[in-house]
Structures are given as structure tokens and as C-alpha cells.
């Protein structure tokens, strides 16, 4: 059993995510960190009769204590989108927040798994990796961009078009990144289903821009929080099942640093990118194997090409933020 830290625990995602993690018997200590309100959230959750101890840590001075001894750090800290914003618009505020949290992880829990939810994920994951590289504690197997919500949405949306597709147990591989055109669901890999070209087009668009449906419906009150919490908990638990329980064969799509990761050479060569989301087998040390991109349909090849173009800029933006401070 291990210590898991949620940074941004009092937020729209942080609270329900912490609630879901409180249900896990793999967690002995759930440490909730935020710049506001984490003590109240922790007191509330601590009354639930599951095994984990819950502690609240409010403000920068308590961050080191929250992180010390962490096995896994989940980061949903930062501002969410409002109507009319892209995830990239969040960079200005969230880049600095994620940089400072990564620096604190480098100092206090250098071997922890770091799961980045804060957007724009395409850039915040490079920020975390660059901070860890600078501190000489970087292990590419241990940093993950959480793109699970795209996978969750894919299963749901496909099942709405194809009722024979059971959404809970059937996974859809989603590659690329986590914003608009960089999100590429590989519908051709769902071998048991066939789609018309119109269905593929409509489903792909809905999966890529599903987040906008929530931003619009919330009408200024933020972006996806509850479905994100479910997706974030799913990925965290999958990683704990693989790393703590030693369960084998767990595969999830996630955005990772390719170079230095087991099995990633093919994707590194075929995309020319430093970071890419793809199916990853999880293991005791995090990434056990980055699966090679499968044979893609002609449409998917074209979508991946577009995604690569956008990702290049997103990745450079994150790297430059740390290397050049801008
Ligand atoms: P929110 O505003 O409800 O909560 C954010 C929390 O972060 C607040 O409690 C705030 O006090 C805290 N915070 C701010 N600065 C902090 C710092 N320096 N250290 C620790 N905590 C800090 O926002 P919400 O809706 O929970 O979204 C959080 C992030 O998750 C956003 O960047 C959003 O874009 C992203 N997101 C990512 C998704 C994904 O699929 N990866 C899906 C949906 C949202």
C-alpha cells in the first residue's frame, strides 16, 4: 500500500478524484494539497470508512510535507477552460503552476510517478520532464499525461452509435495528444465493428471536441470535472494495480516521453516527436512497453499527420518554457 498525493485537490476535478481514490485499498495515505480549502476536503473524506489515512496540506509551505514519501502524484492543479478558450490558452497560467509542482516533486519525491492532468497536457508534460531532467532525476517511465478522458469518451460515444459495443469493458485506442485535432481515436482497431465513412467522420469529430460540449453546457463554470475524475481515477488505479499489485497486461493510452521508454523506438521514428500518446503497457516501474502504432486506415494516417504538426509546436512551447523561461 502506498502514498498518493493529489495536487489541486480542492478543485472541480481534485475533489471527486480524491473521493474515488479514497475507495482504493491500494492506497494507505491520501495526501491532498491545494493553495486553498484542502484541509476541509481532507477532513470530509477522512470520515469515510476505507483503509487510507487522509491528510490536508494548504499553501506552498506545506507542499514538501505533502509530497514526501509519495509513490504517485496526480496533478489536476490550475485553471480550466471557459467558453471560447482552447486548452492552449491555459498555458500562461498553468505552465508556471505545473513547473513549480514538478520542481517540488524533484526535490521531495524524485522517484514518484507523476500523472499530469493540468492542461494543456501536450505542453505541461514536456514542462514536467524538462524540470526533472534539469534536476537529474528524470525517468521517462514515470511521467504520464492523462489522456484517459479521450478513451472514456470514445467508448461512450461509439456505444451510442453501435449499441452492441459495451462501453465499460471495451477500450478504444486514442493516440496523438490531448487537444482538438491532436486527439486521434483509432476506430479502425475496433475489429468487431464496421463503420460507414460518415460515422467515422462524425465520431472522430465528437471525440476530438467532446470537451467543448461540457464547456458549453457549463456555460462559464469550467470544463469536465466529474468525467475527468472518473478517467483520472481509472488511470491512477491502473498504474497502482500494475506497480503495486504487480498485475500484468494492463494497457492504457497515455501521453509519454518517447525517448528512453521501452518499446518506443518505432513511434519515435515514425512520428519524429519527443512526446506522443499511444497504448502503453503498465508495469512495476511505470511504462513497461510503449506499443507500436498499428496499421492505420488512410483517414487515420491523415489525422495523425495533422496531429504531429500541431504537437510539434505544443511540445516546443513546453520545452522552451523551461529552457528559455518563456
Ligand atoms: P478548478 O479551478 O476547479 O480547480 C483547480 C484547483 O487547482 C483549485 O482548487 C486551485 O486552488 C488549485 N490550484 C491553483 N494553483 C495551484 C497551485 N499552484 N498548487 C496547487 N493547487 C493549485 O479546475 P478543474 O476543473 O479542476 O481543472 C483543473 C485542470 O485540469 C485544468 O487545467 C483543466 O484544463 C484540466 N483538465 C484536464 C483534463 C484532461 O483530460 N487531462 C480534462 C478536464 C480538465
Amino acid at each position: 500500500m502506498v502514498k498518493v498525493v493529489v495536487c489541486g485537490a480542492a478543485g472541480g476535478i481534485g475533489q471527486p478524484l480524491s473521493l474515488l481514490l479514497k475507495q482504493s485499498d491500494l492506497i494507505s495515505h491520501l495526501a491532498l494539497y491545494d493553495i486553498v480549502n484542502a484541509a476541509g476536503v481532507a477532513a470530509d473524506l477522512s470520515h469515510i470508512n476505507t483503509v487510507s489515512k487522509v491528510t490536508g496540506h494548504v499553501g506552498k509551505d506545506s507542499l514538501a510535507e505533502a509530497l514526501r514519501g509519495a509513490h504517485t502524484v496526480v496533478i489536476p492543479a490550475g485553471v480550466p477552460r471557459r467558453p471560447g478558450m482552447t486548452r492552449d490558452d491555459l498555458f500562461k497560467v498553468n505552465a508556471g503552476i505545473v513547473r513549480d509542482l514538478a520542481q517540488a516533486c524533484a526535490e521531495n519525491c524524485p522517484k514518484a510517478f507523476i500523472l499530469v492532468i493540468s492542461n494543456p497536457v501536450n505542453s505541461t508534460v514536456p514542462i514536467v520532464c524538462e524540470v526533472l531532467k534539469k534536476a537529474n532525476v528524470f525517468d521517462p517511465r514515470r511521467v504520464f499525461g492523462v489522456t484517459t478522458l479521450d478513451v472514456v469518451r470514445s467508448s461512450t460515444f461509439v456505444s451510442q452509435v453501435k449499441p452492441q459495443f459495451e462501453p465499460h469493458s471495451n477500450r478504444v485506442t486514442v493516440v496523438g495528444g490531448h487537444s482538438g485535432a491532436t486527439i486521434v481515436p483509432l476506430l479502425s482497431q475496433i475489429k468487431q465493428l464496421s463503420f460507414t465513412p460518415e460515422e467515422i467522420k462524425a465520431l472522430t469529430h465528437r471525440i476530438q471536441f467532446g470537451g467543448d460540449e461540457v464547456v458549453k453546457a457549463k456555460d462559464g463554470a469550467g470544463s469536465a470535472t466529474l468525467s475527468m475524475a472518473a478517467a483520472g481515477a481509472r488511470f491512477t488505479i491502473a498504474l497502482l494495480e500494475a506497480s503495486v499489485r504487480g498485475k500484468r497486461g494492463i494497457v492504457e493510452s497515455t501521453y509519454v516521453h518517447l525517448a528512453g521508454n521501452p518499446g518506443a523506438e518505432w513511434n519515435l521514428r515514425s512520428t519524429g516527436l519527443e512526446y506522443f500518446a499511444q497504448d502503453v503497457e503498465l508495469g512495476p516501474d511505470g511504462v513497461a512497453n510503449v506499443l507500436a502504432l498499428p496499421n492505420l486506415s488512410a483517414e487515420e494516417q491523415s489525422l495523425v499527420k495533422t496531429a504531429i504538426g500541431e504537437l510539434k509546436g505544443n511540445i516546443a512551447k513546453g520545452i522552451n518554457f523551461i529552457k528559455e523561461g518563456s
Side-chain angles (χ1 to χ4, degrees):
M1 282 167 70
V2 295
K3 177 177 180 180
V4 174
V5 187
V6 180
C7 292
I13 295 168
Q15 291 200 38
L17 173 62
S18 302
L19 172 63
L20 292 170
L21 294 178
K22 181 73 176 93
Q23 315 304 314
S24 172
D25 63 0
L26 290 166
I27 299 173
S28 53
H29 181 178
L30 189 57
L32 307 184
Y33 172 75
D34 203 301
I35 50 172
V36 293
N37 300 338
V41 177
D44 193 353
L45 286 181
S46 74
H47 288 191
I48 297 174
N49 59 334
T50 53
V51 287
S52 51
K53 168 176 96 173
V54 185
T55 54
H57 309 264
V58 185
K60 279 192 176 153
D61 292 346
S62 67
L63 179 55
E65 188 197 6
L67 293 174
R68 233 170 272 134
H71 173 276
T72 296
V73 180
V74 193
I75 305 183
V79 291
R81 287 192 293 156
R82 310 275 171 212
M85 288 174 94
T86 66
R87 291 179 182 86
D88 203 40
D89 294 332
L90 303 172
F91 186 89
K92 232 174 157 179
V93 180
N94 291 353
I97 293 175
V98 171
R99 174 199 57 208
D100 295 349
L101 291 170
Q103 183 61 39
C105 288
E107 289 163 13
N108 296 289
C109 52
K111 288 197 171 305
F113 295 123
I114 302 180
L115 280 49
V116 185
I117 292 174
S118 312
N119 272 317
V121 165
N122 295 353
S123 307
T124 50
V125 170
I127 288 175
V128 170
C129 294
E130 287 300 317
V131 168
L132 299 179
K133 283 179 192 174
K134 251 189 167 170
N136 284 321
V137 294
F138 179 55
D139 179 344
R141 297 172 303 172
R142 294 180 173 268
V143 182
F144 304 88
V146 181
T147 57
T148 323
L149 183 53
D150 304 320
V151 177
V152 164
R153 284 186 180 134
S154 299
S155 293
T156 305
F157 299 165
V158 167
S159 75
Q160 288 169 356
V161 176
K162 305 280 179 192
Q164 70 270 39
F165 185 83
E166 200 283 302
H168 189 64
S169 50
N170 283 306
R171 219 173 49 81
V172 180
T173 298
V174 185
V175 305
H178 174 67
S179 73
T182 69
I183 299 169
V184 183
L186 301 186
L187 301 176
S188 70
Q189 298 303 306
I190 312 175
K191 300 297 180 203
Q192 72 271 36
L193 297 178
S194 61
F195 298 95
T196 64
E198 293 73 32
E199 284 172 336
I200 289 194
K201 203 166 170 215
L203 270 171
T204 301
H205 185 271
R206 189 168 182 215
I207 293 163
Q208 291 186 321
F209 297 95
D212 294 355
E213 292 179 18
V214 182
V215 171
K216 189 164 173 250
K218 290 198 173 178
D219 196 17
S223 58
T225 54
L226 302 173
S227 51
M228 181 58 236
R234 164 171 153 173
F235 187 79
T236 309
I237 299 298
L239 184 59
L240 295 183
E241 287 285 352
S243 60
V244 180
R245 194 114 61 193
K247 211 166 154 185
R248 289 169 170 239
I250 299 181
V251 173
E252 288 285 355
S253 300
T254 172
Y255 182 72
V256 294
H257 183 281
L258 291 176
N261 253 324
E265 298 79 13
W266 166 255
N267 294 341
L268 192 58
R269 269 203 312 276
S270 61
T271 64
L273 293 172
E274 279 185 65
Y275 297 83
F276 197 70
Q278 162 58 340
D279 273 354
V280 166
E281 185 179 345
L282 301 169
D285 297 310
V287 174
N289 189 26
V290 179
L291 275 68
L293 271 173
N295 285 331
L296 306 179
S297 67
E299 295 92 348
E300 288 165 355
Q301 285 179 23
S302 152
L303 290 168
V304 166
K305 204 169 160 207
T306 305
I308 289 173
E310 230 177 85
L311 279 165
K312 270 188 191 143
N314 297 158
I315 292 166
K317 198 168 171 179
I319 293 174
N320 290 340
F321 183 72
I322 300 304
K323 285 204 171 147
E324 293 157 23
S326 66

